[in-house]
Amino acid sequence: MTTQNKQTLSHLDWLESEAIHILREVAGQCSNPVLLFSGGKDSLCLLRLAEKAFRPGRFPFPLMHIDTGHNYKEVIDFRDQRAQELGERLIVRSVEDSMKRGTVVLKSVDESRNKHQSVTLIEAIEEFGFDCCIGGARRDEEKARAKERIMSFRDEFGQWDPKNQRPELWNLYNARTHKGENIRAFPISNWTEMDVWQYIERENLGLPSIYFAHKRQIVRRSGGMMPVTDITPAKPGELIEEILVRFRTVGDITCTAPVESDADTVGKIVLETATTTITERGATRLDDQTSDASMEQRKKEGYF
Amino acid sequence: MNSVNAKQNDSLLRFMTCGSVDDGKSTLIGRLLFDTKTILADTLNQMERTSKKRGLDAVDLSLLTDGLQAEREQGITIDVAYRYFSTGTRKYIIADAPGHEQYTRNMVTAASTANLAIILIDARKGVLTQTRRHSYLAHLVGIPHIVVAVNKMDLINYDQATFEKIKSDYLVFAEQIGLQHSGRDIKFVPLSALNGDMLVDRGESIPWYEGPTLLELLEMAPAAHSEINEHFRFPVQFVCRPHASDDPELHDFRGFMGKVESGFISIGDNVTVLPNGINSRIKSIKLGTQELSEAITEESVTLLLEDEIDISRGDMIVKTGQFSDPVKQITAMVCWLSETPLSTARTYVIRHTTRESKAKIAEISYKVDVNSLEKIPTEGLNMNDIAKVSFKLAQPLMVDSYRVNRATGAFIIIDETTNNTVGAGMII
């Protein structure tokens, strides 16, 4: 008969196992899922988890990136390289194509394209008939995400209605959809930024170079830092400084700011994360600072 | 391994908090996050700004857990929120559920993944109807560890006699609902969430209490599955057959992918595949490309068997001799989750582990008044009702009693018209 089983998993092993279980539930329940892959650290964790979940088989889903056209080249190169190494199919759909079609209209030339990703994403979902998008969002990122389900239901317009989410009990996920509806699945919901970095360290995952400390030209603007690029030039009168920075999140250039740091290895980043005093989004996501509820608003409009 | 990863040997605890805003639940959670340095400067600044806007002198720690705009406008919490903190030795996931009667379903949801429940009592009010309700639900959903946190001790001058009275009152009623007989571990701690006494720091106001602080109780609580002998249960989620691969070695590869829901398994163990009852032995255990000699509870792995057997998603691999026959009729305590009432004429879908079956209601024996715990005869079920229900199933399920095994004793009920999850069941 059974002997006493006193062994328990470490917290990282537990989180990994939960994420693998969620990925396999998506594969088992959905007929046409896709994994959203940006080349960022959270989605790189997802790829490692998918390897652990499905190798030696192929992934039972393609990878897809919604490109705003305003991403750092280092990240895009890394994205392509990683997809190729894995031998998995990568689909890229761009916000610029939606702009050409007229489905995305910017209020001004320099408006951030980040929130317009939702339109391109929904167009891609329709184009391929995806019934589930797997993403790397985490509940600790932002208040409005704390109540997000692991399998989050979106209607035909990609809308998230916080009042109309399915109860989620035990690990019995319900990813059923009718035609046109969509599930957003978040395998690393229960991970914190620290967990992500610890996992990257343990698994020895490669990352785009801009995650590590490097010299970069920046200007200081409304209490934060703005990288100086072709897309985000310095305004007249602003002082351009060249300092050591790294990115804690990578996304659209217009709304992702670096932090001052000399952490040039994953080990140093883990230590820095353990002692940091500012949240990931607070430090680096300019698009969340407009109001306390801005993430909730964007999610209702179909944002990831 | 270097830096923080040196502490790889840590574990994880999921717990829930039961109580209402009035009991200081949000303040308690805020205090736990604040005192374990989980709240960072920018969040604190934002809370300070909001507190000032509302005309408060001190930072309102409850702001931390009030999530959505819609809820803040109503000043209530209407859904389960998940929060995280870490002490360096343990990672915690808090399921924060509203405590009001009309949110029974949210409490059940939060409880389903918790291994410990903090039940908050306002020291001025003592054991109330809601305390009974919260304790009953924690008991029903099988949470093995209960911490009764007697909060707001500052408002009764940290009076020991009041604390002792609440403790004995609680134990009397714990006896009544069978909490004690079921081997539940019940602990009591006096505290003031507002001032931070006995949460993370002991403070100086409760010298007569010599027991552990709330955080120490959390640190000491056993991890899920660590205390009981459970049989090996492995519901198959996905079958890996990469036969189209160029690699001839993979040509005959058949990997059965899933999570060890309970127990453990080693190479060479004799296993039986249910519901068909075919026997084989474990040839190999894999995690990704890594070969393992055994897999333990909660580990997601891939199993390879000695024999070529046709196995699909929804089948379950168990150790030979450690199972009872698949069943086509089950009786369960059900919590109805949907605004649409249960219809006894309808056919529903039951999802149990990775398996589904159509199900019809055979009988509703009674529903439970969650306040008085009285059993009431009933014809139907409305949202938040808890009832004893029997189902007839189209497909056999491989079940255990929920009391013995939470993973194989639990199921959800799905309405195929809307695809919504409308009920949750715990098999008797």
Side-chain angles (χ1 to χ4, degrees):
Chain A
M1 289 304 287
T2 1
T3 52
Q4 188 87 19
N5 175 21
K6 284 215 163 86
Q7 270 180 291
T8 47
L9 297 179
S10 75
H11 93 269
L12 271 189
D13 285 336
W14 189 93
L15 290 171
E16 176 187 76
S17 178
E18 183 192 43
I20 293 172
H21 178 259
I22 293 161
L23 286 168
R24 288 170 172 171
E25 278 307 289
V26 169
Q29 292 189 38
C30 302
S31 55
N32 190 15
V34 64
L35 186 148
L36 299 183
F37 172 55
S38 62
K41 67 180 192 313
D42 299 313
S43 60
L44 283 161
C45 285
L46 285 185
L47 291 190
R48 170 52 51 90
L49 292 162
E51 287 183 85
K52 294 209 184 196
F54 301 111
R55 291 293 185 243
R58 297 279 307 272
F59 294 176
F61 36 71
L63 317 177
M64 181 165 76
H65 184 219
I66 304 298
D67 189 351
T68 59
H70 282 175
N71 285 293
Y72 290 98
K73 185 174 181 303
E74 294 93 326
V75 180
I76 296 299
D77 290 347
F78 194 86
R79 174 198 78 185
D80 294 343
Q81 180 201 328
R82 192 76 194 100
Q84 197 175 8
E85 283 165 4
L86 287 167
E88 301 290 344
R89 177 179 169 218
L90 173 68
I91 299 166
V92 177
R93 285 295 175 268
S94 87
V95 174
E96 283 169 353
D97 286 340
S98 300
M99 285 157 63
K100 280 180 204 150
R101 276 192 294 273
T103 47
V104 165
V105 180
L106 299 184
K107 288 195 200 95
S108 62
V109 191
D110 57 355
E111 188 197 355
S112 168
R113 297 173 181 181
N114 204 47
K115 70 171 199 179
H116 296 294
Q117 285 180 88
S118 320
V119 175
T120 312
L121 174 63
I122 292 164
E123 286 171 353
I125 288 170
E126 272 181 24
E127 178 187 350
F128 292 96
F130 293 128
D131 57 353
C132 177
C133 301
I134 304 162
R138 309 190 317 264
R139 285 174 178 150
D140 87 318
E141 280 179 81
E142 215 273 343
K143 260 184 178 182
R145 289 219 194 267
K147 301 180 179 192
E148 181 63 284
R149 302 299 194 267
I150 284 172
M151 303 272 181
S152 177
F153 177 76
R154 307 296 166 100
D155 68 16
E156 269 189 275
F157 301 96
Q159 292 182 108
W160 175 73
D161 178 358
K163 293 197 202 77
N164 189 25
Q165 289 297 316
R166 296 169 183 173
E168 210 159 62
L169 297 101
W170 299 288
N171 58 5
L172 299 174
Y173 305 110
N174 175 359
R176 281 170 171 252
T177 49
H178 290 299
K179 201 169 159 44
E181 296 166 348
N182 198 262
I183 294 289
R184 307 282 167 92
F186 303 116
I188 58 168
S189 285
N190 284 324
W191 298 38
T192 60
E193 185 188 13
M194 186 60 170
D195 297 325
V196 168
W197 282 112
Q198 285 182 282
Y199 193 70
I200 288 168
E201 183 179 40
R202 189 184 84 171
E203 297 292 314
N204 208 6
L205 297 185
L207 291 176
S209 57
I210 63 169
Y211 276 113
F212 301 101
H214 58 283
K215 282 214 157 155
R216 182 174 288 277
Q217 291 194 328
I218 59 107
V219 293
R220 303 194 188 261
R221 195 178 290 167
S222 48
M225 253 193 275
M226 196 72 201
V228 178
T229 67
D230 295 347
I231 301 158
T232 53
K235 290 178 182 166
E238 278 181 334
L239 175 69
I240 299 177
E241 299 169 66
E242 191 173 76
I243 56 167
L244 263 184
V245 296
R246 68 178 177 92
F247 287 87
R248 282 172 76 181
T249 71
V250 302
D252 191 89
I253 291 174
T254 59
C255 64
T256 315
V259 292
E260 262 188 279
S261 168
D262 59 2
D264 53 5
T265 64
V266 173
K268 287 182 191 168
I269 294 174
V270 171
L271 278 181
E272 204 174 85
T273 305
T275 52
T276 187
T277 55
I278 299 179
T279 62
E280 183 175 324
R281 280 196 173 262
T284 62
R285 296 303 288 248
L286 306 166
D287 48 344
D288 285 336
Q289 291 178 2
T290 20
S291 93
D292 212 16
S294 57
M295 171 67 92
E296 183 181 352
Q297 196 53 43
R298 278 185 296 142
K299 279 180 56 172
K300 281 181 180 165
E301 288 161 6
Y303 188 76
F304 212 74
Chain B
M1 297 289 140
N2 53 18
S3 68
V4 183
N5 267 354
K7 292 188 195 123
Q8 263 304 292
N9 229 349
D10 62 353
S11 61
L12 180 140
L13 184 76
R14 301 192 73 159
F15 69 93
M16 75 174 298
T17 47
C18 318
S20 65
V21 180
D22 300 339
D23 307 320
K25 180 171 61 113
S26 300
T27 311
L28 178 128
I29 295 171
R31 174 62 69 180
L32 271 178
L33 302 185
F34 188 72
D35 287 357
T36 54
K37 317 275 185 289
T38 310
I39 303 177
L40 298 176
D42 55 329
T43 309
L44 194 61
N45 287 341
Q46 200 166 40
M47 286 164 59
E48 274 170 356
R49 279 202 305 273
T50 312
S51 300
K52 270 196 195 126
K53 235 192 287 179
R54 294 189 187 173
L56 302 169
D57 294 336
V59 174
D60 181 0
L61 287 170
S62 69
L63 286 173
L64 202 70
T65 59
D66 299 342
L68 303 175
Q69 195 172 29
E71 294 176 359
R72 281 203 303 276
E73 279 159 9
Q74 292 170 44
I76 51 155
T77 323
I78 51 176
D79 210 340
V80 183
Y82 296 89
R83 315 279 166 193
Y84 306 86
F85 71 97
S86 175
T87 53
T89 49
R90 206 166 214 190
K91 177 186 164 103
Y92 293 94
I93 303 180
I94 312 175
D96 175 21
H100 193 270
E101 185 177 357
Q102 74 188 96
Y103 302 124
T104 292
R105 64 176 191 147
N106 292 338
M107 266 210 60
V108 169
T109 301
S112 72
T113 52
N115 208 50
L116 179 146
I118 296 176
I119 293 179
L120 268 146
I121 292 181
D122 183 335
R124 295 168 303 174
K125 297 177 185 161
V127 175
L128 297 175
T129 303
Q130 71 159 15
T131 317
R132 297 171 67 95
R133 182 169 73 241
H134 297 158
S135 304
Y136 169 73
L137 291 174
H139 176 50
L140 178 80
V141 190
I143 299 178
H145 301 278
I146 306 272
V147 173
V148 180
V150 182
N151 191 24
K152 303 199 180 181
M153 289 297 291
D154 51 314
L155 297 180
I156 57 158
N157 296 318
Y158 299 98
D159 179 45
Q160 183 177 6
T162 310
F163 174 71
E164 297 297 339
K165 171 80 167 52
I166 290 172
K167 192 169 159 181
S168 62
D169 286 353
Y170 188 90
L171 285 171
V172 166
F173 119 87
E175 177 94 27
Q176 284 167 9
I177 66 169
L179 254 179
Q180 292 229 295
H181 294 298
S182 59
R184 292 288 192 282
D185 158 44
I186 308 174
K187 299 233 159 50
F188 297 85
V189 58
L191 48 87
S192 164
L194 193 66
N195 299 336
D197 300 312
M198 284 309 160
L199 273 90
V200 174
D201 303 315
R202 297 193 72 82
E204 280 163 14
S205 306
I206 320 180
W208 48 262
Y209 173 76
E210 289 173 348
T213 61
L214 181 64
L215 185 65
E216 284 166 348
L217 287 169
L218 296 176
E219 294 272 278
M220 290 184 319
H225 303 276
S226 65
E227 302 164 278
I228 31 168
N229 294 320
E230 292 173 325
H231 286 157
F232 174 69
R233 298 288 184 255
F234 189 84
V236 176
Q237 287 185 276
F238 195 74
V239 180
C240 177
R241 296 214 58 188
H243 38 66
S245 160
D246 300 335
D247 184 350
E249 274 194 27
L250 291 179
H251 194 77
D252 295 324
F253 188 95
R254 271 170 201 251
F256 305 110
M257 299 175 151
K259 191 169 123 199
V260 179
E261 291 289 358
S262 58
F264 65 96
I265 193 80
S266 308
I267 291 176
D269 282 349
N270 292 313
V271 293
T272 300
V273 183
L274 300 174
N276 293 336
I278 301 165
N279 295 323
S280 187
R281 274 155 65 96
I282 301 287
K283 185 166 81 176
S284 165
I285 304 170
K286 287 172 184 293
L287 170 55
T289 50
Q290 192 190 347
E291 296 283 343
L292 307 176
S293 55
E294 59 165 15
I296 61 169
T297 304
E298 301 204 291
E299 215 167 3
S300 287
V301 291
T302 302
L303 300 181
L304 280 74
L305 302 183
E306 296 278 3
D307 308 279
E308 277 199 16
I309 305 174
D310 194 21
I311 298 178
S312 43
R313 174 177 166 88
D315 290 352
M316 192 187 290
I317 301 174
V318 300
K319 282 187 185 171
T320 304
Q322 291 187 358
F323 63 97
S324 43
D325 291 334
V327 294
K328 289 187 81 170
Q329 173 127 17
I330 51 173
T331 301
M333 295 306 290
V334 166
C335 177
W336 196 251
L337 308 169
S338 170
E339 284 170 16
T340 313
L342 172 142
S343 156
T344 48
R346 292 268 311 269
T347 298
Y348 292 95
V349 169
I350 280 183
R351 170 167 288 147
H352 171 264
T353 65
T354 57
R355 198 173 172 82
E356 287 186 353
S357 169
K358 293 206 188 274
K360 275 185 155 308
I361 316 296
E363 189 195 1
I364 306 177
S365 311
Y366 56 81
K367 69 174 179 181
V368 179
D369 180 322
V370 288
N371 292 321
S372 67
L373 307 184
E374 260 181 285
K375 295 171 182 174
I376 309 161
T378 183
E379 296 295 308
L381 295 181
N382 293 311
M383 185 160 75
N384 297 312
D385 280 349
I386 305 252
K388 184 179 170 186
V389 183
S390 299
F391 298 88
K392 282 187 292 194
L393 307 170
Q395 298 293 324
L397 296 181
M398 290 71 81
V399 306
D400 291 298
S401 151
Y402 187 80
R403 199 171 38 77
V404 174
N405 194 319
R406 287 173 84 178
T408 47
F411 61 87
I412 55 171
I413 304 167
I414 296 167
D415 179 337
E416 271 192 301
T417 321
T418 59
N419 281 332
N420 276 334
T421 303
V422 293
M426 290 148 283
I427 294 164
I428 294 171

